[in-house]
Amino acid sequence: MVKYSIFSLARNALSRHENWPEAWRSPEPKSEYDVIIIGAGGHGLATAYYLAKEHGVTNVAVIEKGYLGGGNTGRNTTIVRSNYYLEPNAHFYEKSLQLWEGLSQDLNYNVMLSQRGVLNLAHAPSEVDSFHRRGNAMRLNGIDAEFMTRDQIAQMVPLLNMSMEARYPILGGLIQRRGGIARHDAVAWGFARAADARGVDIIQNCPVTGIRREGGRVTGVDTARGFIKAKKVGIAVAGHSSHVAAMAGLRLPIESHVLQALVSEPIKPCLDTVVTSGAVHFYVSQSDKGELVMGGDLDGYNSYAQRGNLPIIQHVVAALLALFPCFSRLRMMRTWGGIMDMSMDGSPIIAKTPIGGLYINTGWCYGGFKATPGSGWVFAHTIARDEPHKLNAEFTLERFAEGKTWDEKGMGPTPNAH
Amino acid sequence: MLLIDCPWCGTRDQREFTYGGDAAVKRPADPAAVSDKEWHDYVYIRVNPRGSHVELWHHNAGCRRWFKLRRDVVTHEMQGSAPIGSELEPPLPIAGRPGKP
């Protein structure tokens, strides 16, 4: 692997950038691996990278049905944060955020992390109270959180409609200044390149069609390129987890739903914070290219379609204009949808399964992107040691049967409400 | 935009409807008689098929009645609806559908 640096950049400039090597190989699959990860999205690639880096397990393949990072890794709205209330979520996402903070150096790949702050707006006195409560819980868990008054918000985000006559007047907000955004494609590419450099085989355009088991243990996977033996198999296919887990006879506490996002035409820098509002079901940030990137809630019905419908888009745009009337003349450039594994309590599942050597990483709801490094880090630990790390010990498949759900919003087993 | 067939009101815009989840999930008739595992499966486990899915919808801005809808969750194709309590036909094989060879 050529180390990316100012020197390699200068050296390659002399040859008009025509001699850069490929960032990763496209190898033929071997007949057997110690570990196969199904799904070359951010989570799968991060898992492979940390298996090699932290656990010395390098005989690893990541098998992908399409192209690398072509699923939810490239469909999210790139927000990174750890502003959770419940302890298992708080500690897990904080570990992930800490990994984010060193990720560009660690991978030798610029993931363009921009810690511009994530601001949650409060529109009612009860919401102000609950933000104080969550902020206090975060600080007790060692995570940065700061309550902002109306005046502070008006000063920091001058484009917001701060009128008390607004349909949802802004009464205050909770900000996590270490939160922000990152470049999502770069995360997949950076993990792929770094994992490949440590010997991991990334096999693209190779759908897994079956998971073979013998005597309660996994023995390998059937793929479009034939059977590949494996001692251990990890599933990291968020959106399609139920479908892939069914290949091993498993049924999951998961429903698949579509979440849409959209971007405006690019404009000059005007919004340097991620602004979210739970009350109007909306969040927005400005990308480095100048587009406003925004989204809202799920469409609400089961879907594997990777595209949604107009009512949610209208809702998101209406919410944008309620908060930022000055954007009323912006044209929207494109919309898209990604398929979310909605779990029954809104928290992820990163765990062993009842089948020996088979592990699953699912239930990301719409929080998967920020979890990418942390998820890979604990999933690699779970696979290498055959036991969870303490950071994911609570995120089991069995927690639903045991009554130990982690329901951040208190919605109960209604996946489309988390 | 989904155009949803209400068994009573006909084809209407999705905005008039509220989603009610997987219709294949059946509440055990006698909760006290089932095992913890059966109850857990009823509350939490879903088949979540990638294809034809039978689901509950409520026509909340119309007749305000619940009904069952069969819908392909990959293509958004509508495959029939029926009142609660009656069975839905299985979807036609693709070759037999109107407009398909």
Side-chain angles (χ1 to χ4, degrees), chain A residues 24 43 66 130 141 159-160 245 273 314 319 321 335 339 378 404:
Chain A
W24 52 82
H43 289 231
S130 82
N141 281 324
L159 297 183
L160 272 173
T273 308
Q314 289 180 321
L321 298 188
T335 74
I339 303 307
V378 298
K404 286 165 34 183

Short mmCIF file of all heavy atoms in Angstrom, two decimals, chain A residues 24 43 66 130 141 159-160 245 273 314 319 321 335 339 378 404:
data_model
loop_
_atom_site.label_atom_id
_atom_site.label_comp_id
_atom_site.label_asym_id
_atom_site.label_seq_id
_atom_site.Cartn_x
_atom_site.Cartn_y
_atom_site.Cartn_z
N TRP A 24 -7.23 -0.94 -3.46
CA TRP A 24 -7.34 -2.29 -2.92
C TRP A 24 -7.39 -3.26 -4.09
O TRP A 24 -7.69 -2.87 -5.22
CB TRP A 24 -8.58 -2.45 -2.03
CG TRP A 24 -9.85 -2.01 -2.67
CD1 TRP A 24 -10.63 -2.72 -3.54
CD2 TRP A 24 -10.49 -0.73 -2.52
NE1 TRP A 24 -11.70 -1.97 -3.94
CE2 TRP A 24 -11.65 -0.75 -3.33
CE3 TRP A 24 -10.19 0.42 -1.76
CZ2 TRP A 24 -12.50 0.36 -3.40
CZ3 TRP A 24 -11.05 1.49 -1.85
CH2 TRP A 24 -12.20 1.46 -2.66
N HIS A 43 -19.70 -1.09 8.02
CA HIS A 43 -19.60 -1.97 9.20
C HIS A 43 -18.81 -3.24 8.89
O HIS A 43 -17.97 -3.65 9.68
CB HIS A 43 -20.99 -2.34 9.70
CG HIS A 43 -21.71 -1.20 10.35
ND1 HIS A 43 -22.29 -1.29 11.58
CD2 HIS A 43 -21.94 0.06 9.93
CE1 HIS A 43 -22.86 -0.12 11.90
NE2 HIS A 43 -22.66 0.71 10.89
N GLY A 66 -23.03 -6.40 -4.24
CA GLY A 66 -22.92 -5.35 -5.26
C GLY A 66 -21.51 -4.78 -5.26
O GLY A 66 -20.54 -5.51 -5.34
N SER A 130 -36.46 17.58 29.21
CA SER A 130 -35.91 16.28 28.83
C SER A 130 -34.50 16.44 28.25
O SER A 130 -33.66 15.57 28.41
CB SER A 130 -36.83 15.55 27.85
OG SER A 130 -36.63 16.00 26.53
N ASN A 141 -21.82 10.34 31.96
CA ASN A 141 -21.15 9.25 31.26
C ASN A 141 -19.86 9.72 30.58
O ASN A 141 -19.28 9.01 29.76
CB ASN A 141 -22.09 8.63 30.21
CG ASN A 141 -23.09 7.68 30.86
OD1 ASN A 141 -22.74 6.99 31.82
ND2 ASN A 141 -24.31 7.66 30.36
N LEU A 159 -29.61 31.91 10.82
CA LEU A 159 -30.65 31.73 9.81
C LEU A 159 -31.93 31.12 10.37
O LEU A 159 -32.96 31.12 9.71
CB LEU A 159 -30.12 30.84 8.67
CG LEU A 159 -28.95 31.37 7.86
CD1 LEU A 159 -28.60 30.42 6.75
CD2 LEU A 159 -29.26 32.75 7.29
N LEU A 160 -31.86 30.58 11.59
CA LEU A 160 -33.06 29.95 12.16
C LEU A 160 -34.14 30.99 12.41
O LEU A 160 -33.86 32.12 12.81
CB LEU A 160 -32.71 29.28 13.50
CG LEU A 160 -32.21 27.85 13.48
CD1 LEU A 160 -31.77 27.46 14.89
CD2 LEU A 160 -33.28 26.88 12.98
N ALA A 245 -30.18 -13.68 7.30
CA ALA A 245 -30.24 -14.54 8.49
C ALA A 245 -31.15 -15.75 8.24
O ALA A 245 -30.91 -16.85 8.76
CB ALA A 245 -30.73 -13.76 9.70
N THR A 273 -23.44 24.05 11.35
CA THR A 273 -23.81 23.17 12.46
C THR A 273 -24.84 22.18 11.91
O THR A 273 -25.56 22.51 10.98
CB THR A 273 -24.48 23.97 13.59
OG1 THR A 273 -23.63 25.07 13.92
CG2 THR A 273 -24.69 23.15 14.83
N GLN A 314 -42.31 15.97 1.14
CA GLN A 314 -43.04 17.23 1.39
C GLN A 314 -42.94 17.64 2.85
O GLN A 314 -42.76 18.80 3.17
CB GLN A 314 -44.50 17.08 0.96
CG GLN A 314 -44.64 17.01 -0.55
CD GLN A 314 -46.09 16.86 -0.98
OE1 GLN A 314 -46.85 16.15 -0.34
NE2 GLN A 314 -46.44 17.52 -2.07
N ALA A 319 -40.76 21.18 6.95
CA ALA A 319 -40.05 21.37 8.22
C ALA A 319 -38.84 22.27 8.03
O ALA A 319 -38.55 23.14 8.87
CB ALA A 319 -39.64 20.01 8.79
N LEU A 321 -38.53 24.65 5.90
CA LEU A 321 -38.97 26.04 5.74
C LEU A 321 -39.56 26.62 7.02
O LEU A 321 -39.48 27.83 7.24
CB LEU A 321 -39.98 26.15 4.59
CG LEU A 321 -39.39 25.75 3.23
CD1 LEU A 321 -40.36 26.06 2.12
CD2 LEU A 321 -38.06 26.44 2.97
N THR A 335 -33.36 12.99 -4.47
CA THR A 335 -33.80 12.29 -3.26
C THR A 335 -33.44 10.82 -3.43
O THR A 335 -33.27 10.35 -4.55
CB THR A 335 -35.32 12.39 -3.05
OG1 THR A 335 -35.95 11.52 -4.01
CG2 THR A 335 -35.83 13.79 -3.25
N ILE A 339 -32.54 1.29 3.08
CA ILE A 339 -33.35 0.35 3.85
C ILE A 339 -32.76 0.15 5.23
O ILE A 339 -31.60 -0.26 5.37
CB ILE A 339 -33.45 -1.00 3.10
CG1 ILE A 339 -34.02 -0.77 1.71
CG2 ILE A 339 -34.34 -1.97 3.88
CD1 ILE A 339 -35.32 -0.01 1.69
N VAL A 378 -16.25 -3.56 17.98
CA VAL A 378 -16.81 -4.56 18.92
C VAL A 378 -17.20 -5.85 18.20
O VAL A 378 -17.13 -6.93 18.78
CB VAL A 378 -18.01 -4.02 19.73
CG1 VAL A 378 -17.59 -2.85 20.60
CG2 VAL A 378 -19.19 -3.66 18.84
N LYS A 404 -34.90 -7.33 28.60
CA LYS A 404 -33.84 -6.33 28.81
C LYS A 404 -33.65 -5.49 27.55
O LYS A 404 -32.55 -5.37 27.03
CB LYS A 404 -32.54 -7.03 29.20
CG LYS A 404 -32.59 -7.54 30.62
CD LYS A 404 -31.54 -8.53 31.04
CE LYS A 404 -30.17 -8.43 30.46
NZ LYS A 404 -29.30 -9.54 30.92
#
